Amino acid sequence: MTIRMRTLALSAAFMLVVFLLVTWVVSYQMVSHSRQDRKQVQAVYVASKEKELRHYVELGHATLARIAQGSGEEAALQQQVLGALSRMHFGNDGYFFVYDRFGNVLLNPGSMGIDGVDFCDPADTGSDQARMLIAQAHAGGGIVRYNWIKPSSRAEAPKMSYVRTADQWGWIIGAGLYMDDIERELAAFDANAARTLRDTQIRLTAFAIGSVMLISVAGLAWNLRNSRISGEKLRRLARRVVSSQEEERARVARELHDGVVQVLVSSKYLFETAQLHLEQAPGKEAIRDAKRDPKRDPKRDPDQPAARESPPAGHAPQALLAQGLRRLQDALVEIRRVSHGLHPALLADLGLAAALRMLVEQLRPQRAVDLRFTELGTIPALSQAQRTALFRVAQEALSNALTHAQAGWVQVTLAGSGHHVALTIEDNGHGFDLKKVRADGKGGIGLRNMRERIESLEGSDFIMHTGPDGTRVEARLRLAPPETETRARARPAPGLRHRPPARRPAA
């Protein structure tokens, strides 16, 4: 799996985790708000029921007070009150109940024509509801909650009753409402909240899946686009490498043809001339011809080449051989120069400064330019890659300055300190248009090679300034502190332990 695919997979996984967390947070918030809303709705329903019950009981108490103020016997008035209360129904299952001051039942569902529902009688064993109602009434009245048989369904249901005492005869009058309708409303509210939560989760999940798919498609398109761009870059790089190789081969061929080959050809001519001198010495030619064909007259040989005639006078064989040896020595020097340009041995043996100094000394006689090299400070130890990169930058910059800049002087400076190395090549030539060269995809290969060589090293900078007054190329390297390097070298490799040196046996 490529880095881009891993990045895409990690991004998709991260987005999926984020959406799961968002879904959980939203679900938790919705459930919390739903519970709070349910409590508020329940409180509103209960408050409404309590208010309704108070209204009914106050209405029954007002009826009792109005009849009790009438004329007639008390027993008749009491029967009239009970008859009026028994006819006062509210809702499907609402009715009044009445106790006297001693806790005896005066009005019950049976006397109201409600079948299947008994009234709680304090005299019955285990009738805690009646005692709760009477105790609450004597305590000043209020709400009492308990479970009782609902007339319409003949099933037990939660009920809320309101009781109070009547001042005329000390009766306890009350009314009750069943709470199962509130439970149904709350159940419907819970179902609606669950449906809303489920719909929200489905929408979030669909949105998360759509987002992940969109990210995947976008990442795939981005990966394809980057693959095309990378492929194009690789093709350009391959063409650049091939072009660089061809340029290097052309340079080496040119160096060999213009230098080494010419010297070798001249040496060959001198040796051949010396050979003719030796072969045409007195007595040698006759002996040679006799050995070749004793019956043949050399003066009448039609195959004798014209070039084998007597060499010019004044060229002794010893002088020609000496001159040929000098030319061979020059060829060796030229070969060493070309070899040093390809891979300087001094770079590995004596360091970067010595290799740069030799490069400048070799180029100085070939050009009518004031070519100088300066070493400043102490050059720290560099790796092979760092030395090679800086040397190649110096080679390319010097080649450009000596070939294209038409400069009067070129200065090469190598400066160093404990943690920094800076190589500067500057000249006073006419410069060039840097933006145009960078924009040209076919040209400027040397500049790109210099920049890429330096930027491939860690902690490096490549700076170039050019203009009508000259060109300045600077390569800087930031090195690790010596103590850090010492600790790094002293640190044992993972999995290895320091072992003391083995003792040699005594002689």
Side-chain angles (χ1 to χ4, degrees), residues 17-82:
V17 171
V18 170
F19 277 117
L20 290 176
L21 290 176
V22 170
T23 303
W24 179 80
V25 171
V26 171
S27 302
Y28 178 79
Q29 292 293 333
M30 290 185 66
V31 171
S32 300
H33 289 306
S34 176
R35 290 175 180 174
Q36 294 178 1
D37 293 341
R38 187 181 190 277
K39 291 180 181 179
Q40 293 178 358
V41 170
Q42 185 177 10
V44 170
Y45 276 124
V46 171
S48 176
K49 290 284 187 181
E50 291 179 354
K51 185 176 180 180
E52 185 179 0
L53 279 176
R54 286 191 181 95
H55 174 72
Y56 291 148
V57 172
E58 293 297 333
L59 182 61
H61 183 268
T63 302
L64 184 148
R66 180 178 56 79
I67 295 175
Q69 292 177 358
S71 58
E73 295 182 358
E74 182 177 351
L77 294 175
Q78 291 178 353
Q79 290 298 323
Q80 187 179 354
V81 169
L82 293 176

Side-chain angles (χ1 to χ4, degrees), residues 8 54 105 185 204 224 249 288 315 353 388 454 487 498:
L8 180 62
R54 286 191 181 95
V105 179
E185 293 293 336
L204 287 175
L224 292 176
R249 289 172 182 173
R288 176 178 55 80
H315 294 278
T388 303
I454 297 302
R487 288 197 300 268
H498 177 70

